[in-house]
Amino acid sequence: MKAFASTMVATLATATPDVAWTSMGHFKVDKAAFLEIGNFAGSEKFLLASSFSAGPLGTGKVFVIPGVEAAVTAGSVDHLKQHQLDMHGVSLQWPNSVTIIPDDVFGFRAIMVPDGFLVPGHADGGLYIIKMDDEDITKSQSVTKITEYKKGYFYHMGHWVDLNGDGRLDWITARSNAKADGGELVWFEHPVEGLTDATWTEHIICSGPDVGIEVIEDGPWKHEIVVFAAEFFNEKVAYYRVSTKTGDLVGSHIIDDGSILSAYSVTFVDLNGDGKKELMVNNHETDDSTNGIWSYDQPKHWEDSWTKRELASDFKNAFSVFVPNMAPGFPYAFYPKVADEGHKGNAAHILVAGDGDHTAWLMTNTDKENFVWDRDTIHETRGTVGALAFADLDNDGWNEVWVPDYDHSYMEVFRFHAIEESVEFLQ
């Protein structure tokens, strides 16, 4: 710890009863939006970031930031550099949840880019696959659009799963035209030829899902996946059962269509450490008095009512002259100490990307039985904190958290550690 401390500016953040966090510096990432930390088979780990401009004439970008493991191990990220991927003539509108494609999908290195948003000039989205260089993680070889043009529709996120039993992983996603009842749950069939210049056959499952989804492959029904949906424009939370033999809708159930307002994201996770998963949902509102994060208890029979509990509320949106801010952004179940995850009895912390409140938050459980969390500020920025990422890149047993400031184009990284280490750090 003393060797580590000597390389850093002593910037110690507020501590909760069980953890503390320290800044490891910051570096430039232009208009960072969605983040992922991961690697290709045989590659070093890297930070993947989407970037977009809110203006009607701006275009989207995808960045790779290599060297993250070495930077975190050395104790400073200040020297990290963004590398913009060549899109080979493709113009992205508003790239959302960019993700590393699992190796078993194609057998080569690739990235999925769901694109588009409701901002004027950016609504005609699509799904793009970036084929990456076999050796250099900062270089791309080609970009393929696998979707046909559908005016006014855009995509946020999705999941790879075989939905017709042919052994190839297909892509299931939601798309929206920014209108109530305009969303669609749809899957794109992975062709036998693999990735070519041709678009993939689309299968519309049903209407409803539009923005946030989470796909569960180990739900209570055989030969089915469960798609939890946070339906922003429908102001609803629901789940949809989809056959893994035919890709058809089997059934659906509304969890909340009366109180959630503009539902934004869903995560199915054990929050209080009792061994049973809850559904964590946030909405995304301009009104501070109605925004928040909630959990829904999983009933014995999923067709029954899911009991709602408030986890956090009253996220204060920052003032904006032109377009009102909205909060909160995505919440994440989080274990500062890596070994705590997956062990019954350990309640999760909750990281929150505050989005329009310009803050990254840490929520700490204080009452497991009654689902009570306190909230502390990790970092208050001067701009939008749309998403977060975390990983233990130096293998010290503690996660680091990556916090973007979209408006000012920088990324700050915080190292989590025990409170006892804070004292040694400052000496």
Side-chain angles (χ1 to χ4, degrees):
M1 291 288 92
K2 291 181 180 178
F4 168 81
S6 67
T7 67
M8 297 206 37
V9 177
T11 308
L12 183 65
T14 305
T16 73
D18 57 346
V19 295
W21 49 93
T22 307
S23 174
M24 304 182 76
H26 65 272
F27 59 98
K28 180 180 179 180
V29 182
D30 291 333
K31 302 293 185 184
F34 289 79
L35 311 175
E36 183 179 55
I37 295 174
N39 62 283
F40 302 119
S43 83
E44 64 172 289
K45 290 185 178 179
F46 57 89
L47 176 66
L48 179 64
S50 66
S51 168
F52 43 70
S53 171
L57 301 179
T59 58
K61 303 177 180 66
V62 179
F63 293 111
V64 167
I65 297 90
V68 294
E69 291 177 284
V72 169
T73 301
S76 174
V77 300
D78 292 343
H79 67 282
L80 290 175
K81 302 293 184 183
Q82 63 183 16
H83 295 259
Q84 182 179 338
L85 293 182
D86 183 355
M87 293 303 293
H88 301 275
V90 171
S91 180
L92 294 175
Q93 302 295 314
W94 187 294
N96 291 301
S97 185
V98 292
T99 52
I100 298 164
I101 296 176
D103 299 327
D104 56 352
V105 176
F106 297 117
F108 54 77
R109 297 177 175 185
I111 292 169
M112 170 60 83
V113 185
D115 188 42
F117 196 48
L118 55 77
V119 176
H122 298 277
D124 296 335
L127 298 174
Y128 296 88
I129 293 176
I130 305 174
K131 185 176 182 181
M132 299 294 290
D133 186 88
D134 294 335
E135 300 295 333
D136 190 338
I137 62 172
T138 68
K139 296 186 181 301
S140 62
Q141 293 185 350
S142 64
V143 178
T144 302
K145 185 179 183 182
I146 67 169
T147 51
E148 297 284 355
Y149 173 77
K150 185 161 184 173
K151 182 175 176 57
Y153 275 82
F154 46 88
Y155 301 81
H156 273 86
M157 60 193 65
H159 182 82
W160 292 101
V161 59
D162 183 2
L163 288 176
N164 58 359
D166 65 3
R168 295 184 295 276
L169 296 179
D170 311 297
W171 179 257
I172 186 169
T173 183
R175 62 187 177 195
S176 175
N177 63 354
K179 298 177 182 178
D181 300 321
E184 295 176 336
L185 186 62
V186 57
W187 66 280
F188 291 87
E189 186 176 345
H190 188 158
V192 65
E193 299 84 7
L195 187 63
T196 66
D197 292 336
T199 55
W200 291 16
T201 300
E202 72 169 48
H203 303 268
I204 298 175
I205 301 168
C206 63
S207 62
D210 51 23
V211 176
I213 64 171
E214 171 136 311
V215 177
I216 306 300
E217 297 189 42
D218 58 351
W221 297 283
K222 291 183 178 180
H223 309 299
E224 296 178 20
I225 59 170
V226 176
V227 182
F228 287 108
E231 300 180 22
F232 182 89
F233 298 101
N234 288 338
E235 298 190 346
K236 182 169 71 174
V237 180
Y239 68 74
Y240 298 83
R241 297 165 52 191
V242 180
S243 169
T244 54
K245 292 184 176 181
T246 65
D248 295 328
L249 182 69
V250 178
S252 64
H253 179 74
I254 296 173
I255 296 172
D256 185 349
D257 64 351
S259 65
I260 191 62
L261 301 178
S262 299
Y264 195 58
S265 73
V266 289
T267 308
F268 193 50
V269 63
D270 179 7
L271 289 172
N272 68 340
D274 66 355
K276 187 176 182 179
K277 292 183 178 181
E278 294 78 35
L279 195 65
M280 178 170 61
V281 180
N282 72 295
N283 65 11
H284 196 57
E285 300 291 331
T286 59
D287 184 351
D288 302 347
S289 67
T290 61
N291 67 29
I293 305 169
W294 293 267
S295 69
Y296 294 82
D297 290 351
Q298 175 192 158
K300 181 178 180 180
H301 302 290
W302 281 29
E303 300 88 347
D304 293 339
S305 296
W306 294 56
T307 302
K308 184 181 181 183
R309 303 171 185 264
E310 181 180 295
L311 305 182
S313 61
D314 196 27
F315 291 85
K316 302 294 187 183
N317 279 290
F319 175 74
S320 176
V321 175
F322 300 108
V323 180
N325 279 309
M326 303 179 77
F330 302 115
Y332 309 81
F334 173 68
Y335 297 83
K337 191 174 183 179
V338 177
D340 288 343
E341 184 171 1
H343 292 281
K344 190 173 181 179
N346 292 332
H349 289 69
I350 301 173
L351 283 176
V352 185
D355 205 296
D357 77 355
H358 295 183
T359 305
W361 301 94
L362 180 72
M363 293 170 54
T364 302
N365 183 266
T366 58
D367 185 338
K368 296 177 184 178
E369 183 178 352
N370 294 302
F371 284 74
V372 179
W373 274 259
D374 285 346
R375 187 163 83 215
D376 294 283
T377 299
I378 297 175
H379 183 49
E380 186 174 351
T381 69
R382 294 175 297 143
T384 303
V385 182
L388 301 171
F390 56 89
D392 177 17
L393 293 177
D394 59 0
N395 295 311
D396 69 346
W398 292 83
N399 278 304
E400 306 88 34
V401 175
W402 302 66
V403 180
D405 180 333
Y406 168 88
D407 298 275
H408 298 92
S409 295
Y410 76 87
M411 183 85 60
E412 188 148 2
V413 183
F414 294 85
R415 170 186 173 269
F416 276 71
H417 48 86
I419 290 178
E420 292 78 10
E421 295 176 10
S422 306
V423 177
E424 184 175 6
F425 173 83
L426 292 173
Q427 290 176 343

